[in-house]
Amino acid sequence: MSATPAVQFIVEGGRTLSGSIRPSGNKNAALPIVAAALCTEHPVTLENVPRIRDLETLVELVRSLGVSIDWTARNTLQIHAKTVTPAGIDRELSKKIRGSILLAGPLLGRCGRVTLPPPGGDVIGRRRLDTHFLALEQLGARYDLTDVIEMEAPKGLRGADVFLDEPSVTGTENAMMAAVLASGTTVLRNAASEPHVQDLAHFLVAIGGKIEGIGTNQLTIHGGATLGPATHRIGPDHIEVGSFIGLAAVTRSELRVERAGVEHLRSTLMGFARLGIECRTEGEDLIIPASQSRLVQADLGGHVPTISDQPWPAFPADVMSIAIVTATQCEGMVMMHEKMFESRMFFVDKLIGMGARIVLCDPHRAIVSGPSRLRGTTLESPDIRAGMAMLLAALCAEGTSVINNVGQIERGYERIDERLNALGARIERVGDRRTS
């Protein structure tokens, strides 16, 4: 029997796009919120959940714990964790997503113990888990690391004054969920404050948690509250919005991004403005005009500017790959500094092969000189964000490109080929059938 063929995108470049597109729900909010639904024994309804591979994998993991979890509409999940069994988490499913680690906090709080296979996810450099363990340890957990992660809280979780050794997003989320289930008050210092962390906090409040300081780097969580049912709508994905800004810029198109969550876009808009890409807002919508200077804004004195990512509210790391492709179509020179992941820059060799003028200085820095005429070629998607960046490069290139390993893109972008084709792109999906 022959193997099922891998999925490919056949992309015709050089087409101008137009129209409106709405961002999906935030993937990085939906993952922890699905995990957080295990904190309460009452039913939870989640709306605007992106129907992507990472979410489908987490749904299977949660179901394996004996939890009732079902899609009641395309983007609506009904979860009822009346009973939870903290053993038997599937190793193969866990390897597929890093988000499996987010089950640690809720399961420790509900069951007092958890056994987790090592989490997977994107290969974009070392992504340490120390912050999770150090925070949960201060809340009363102890752990043992072998070929699995064994954690238990024999005396139950209890509130503490916790200083996170780095503002880890998932570390903050795990600590927050555990603290809601702990007895007493927890103060989380040096906490992450990204929009998806805020969304998780708002969900925990919706089910009855008591959290102060949402949106700041210090959270005060009063644990032990009675948790109940809730209906919660996942907010728009600001990373997807950043991808659409880059899409409009490189294809010289005017696009409207509906309900874009403009309150969370200041650093993203500032980064693209440095590349000569200006946007405007109309109510909840973001407009990216076709007419742009696309002129890199030099620093004072004419020096080469730098766009660098940092923890929120600075320029998001997940938009860096998109910004690099955008810079190849802008006039001038810019240093792109990826501070957070040491392997995320390595995809630029594919852009160089397409004709981009990029010098990779080291694993964290690349100099981009544009504009460059890109040529269609065969590409491989190494991770979610680089995959989307290469899709943008293919859409603005001359000729036809083939993108392999499309499953990586589809881990984070829902039906992206259909949605972009509705704007005038020409992307043919070849291979196995869609699973959702």
Side-chain angles (χ1 to χ4, degrees):
M1 182 181 294
S2 61
T4 302
V7 183
Q8 296 176 320
F9 282 163
I10 312 298
V11 184
E12 180 184 311
R15 297 176 65 87
T16 301
L17 313 182
S18 64
S20 299
I21 190 167
R22 182 171 297 181
S24 300
N26 190 317
K27 161 189 178 284
N28 290 328
L31 289 167
I33 290 173
V34 168
L38 305 185
C39 292
T40 176
E41 61 182 20
H42 297 279
V44 166
T45 300
L46 302 179
E47 300 172 342
N48 199 35
V49 181
R51 198 74 175 262
I52 54 177
R53 295 194 180 195
D54 276 14
L55 258 298
E56 296 279 10
T57 301
L58 184 60
V59 166
E60 291 184 57
L61 277 172
V62 169
R63 187 175 288 124
S64 73
L65 301 173
V67 173
S68 172
I69 179 167
D70 294 291
W71 296 97
T72 58
R74 168 149 190 92
N75 298 107
T76 303
L77 268 178
Q78 181 82 39
I79 308 171
H80 191 184
K82 187 174 183 179
T83 58
V84 183
T85 305
I89 296 176
D90 188 279
R91 178 180 289 268
E92 291 306 310
L93 289 174
S94 186
K95 281 192 335 188
K96 292 180 180 180
I97 56 169
R98 180 174 168 81
S100 59
I101 191 66
L102 291 164
L103 297 170
L107 290 178
L108 275 173
R110 277 291 299 273
C111 308
R113 61 188 176 87
V114 59
T115 301
L116 282 173
D122 286 330
V123 182
I124 53 175
R126 178 173 179 245
R127 304 178 75 176
R128 63 196 294 271
L129 297 174
D130 304 55
T131 304
H132 297 253
F133 300 131
L134 293 171
L136 294 172
E137 187 176 44
Q138 291 179 73
L139 294 172
R142 61 191 187 197
Y143 60 91
D144 184 35
L145 305 180
T146 55
D147 62 327
V148 295
I149 303 167
E150 297 270 5
M151 304 191 75
E152 62 177 354
K155 297 181 180 179
L157 298 175
R158 57 188 182 277
D161 192 320
V162 178
F163 187 91
L164 302 178
D165 68 336
E166 64 175 356
S168 161
V169 168
T170 51
T172 297
E173 292 165 345
N174 242 334
M176 197 188 329
M177 291 184 282
V180 164
L181 295 169
S183 60
T185 297
T186 296
V187 179
L188 288 182
R189 305 179 192 275
N190 196 31
S193 59
E194 276 79 353
H196 31 287
V197 178
Q198 298 177 42
D199 207 353
L200 170 62
H202 289 307
F203 169 75
L204 291 170
V205 169
I207 61 174
K210 298 178 180 179
I211 304 175
E212 301 166 11
I214 297 173
T216 75
N217 299 113
Q218 180 171 309
L219 299 169
T220 302
I221 301 131
H222 303 285
T226 300
L227 304 181
T231 296
H232 180 81
R233 184 173 182 82
I234 307 294
D237 190 338
H238 63 293
I239 304 302
E240 196 166 276
V241 176
S243 302
F244 297 151
I245 296 171
L247 172 69
V250 301
T251 60
R252 299 178 177 267
S253 305
E254 175 161 326
L255 296 179
R256 175 185 289 266
V257 184
E258 300 176 342
R259 299 184 185 179
V262 294
E263 68 274 16
H264 293 308
L265 297 178
R266 293 186 67 174
S267 60
T268 299
L269 296 178
M270 185 178 296
F272 280 103
R274 181 150 291 191
L275 298 176
I277 308 299
E278 299 285 351
C279 307
R280 70 176 189 272
T281 58
E282 290 185 4
E284 297 183 25
D285 296 354
L286 185 75
I287 314 297
I288 310 104
S291 178
Q292 301 279 357
S293 76
R294 295 179 182 80
L295 179 64
V296 174
Q297 305 299 301
D299 283 350
L300 291 176
H303 297 291
V304 174
T306 298
I307 296 177
S308 58
D309 60 10
Q310 298 181 69
W312 190 261
F315 192 78
D318 283 351
V319 183
M320 180 59 74
S321 302
I322 302 297
I324 290 172
V325 173
T326 305
T328 70
Q329 302 306 299
C330 298
E331 184 179 344
M333 186 178 293
V334 60
M335 169 75 78
M336 311 300 290
H337 191 175
E338 163 58 80
K339 295 181 178 179
M340 300 180 70
F341 302 107
E342 68 268 20
S343 300
R344 183 165 257 171
M345 285 283 192
F346 292 157
F347 83 101
V348 302
D349 65 333
K350 304 298 184 184
L351 300 180
I352 294 169
M354 297 177 77
R357 294 197 295 273
I358 302 175
V359 176
L360 184 62
C361 306
D362 56 43
H364 292 277
R365 297 177 301 163
I367 296 175
V368 184
S369 178
S372 301
R373 293 177 64 183
L374 303 185
R375 303 176 298 273
T377 188
T378 298
L379 302 165
E380 190 84 14
S381 175
D383 64 71
I384 297 172
R385 307 307 175 184
M388 184 64 185
M390 289 193 292
L391 178 56
L392 265 60
L395 286 166
C396 74
E398 297 176 353
T400 300
S401 296
V402 177
I403 301 179
N404 295 314
N405 200 21
V406 165
Q408 283 286 2
I409 303 174
E410 294 184 330
R411 286 179 48 219
Y413 292 86
E414 182 176 3
R415 294 181 174 263
I416 193 64
D417 53 328
E418 294 180 9
R419 295 160 68 202
L420 297 191
N421 284 344
L423 299 174
R426 187 164 292 171
I427 306 169
E428 181 185 0
R429 189 176 190 273
V430 178
D432 68 354
R433 294 183 178 180
R434 250 185 250 277
T435 58
S436 60

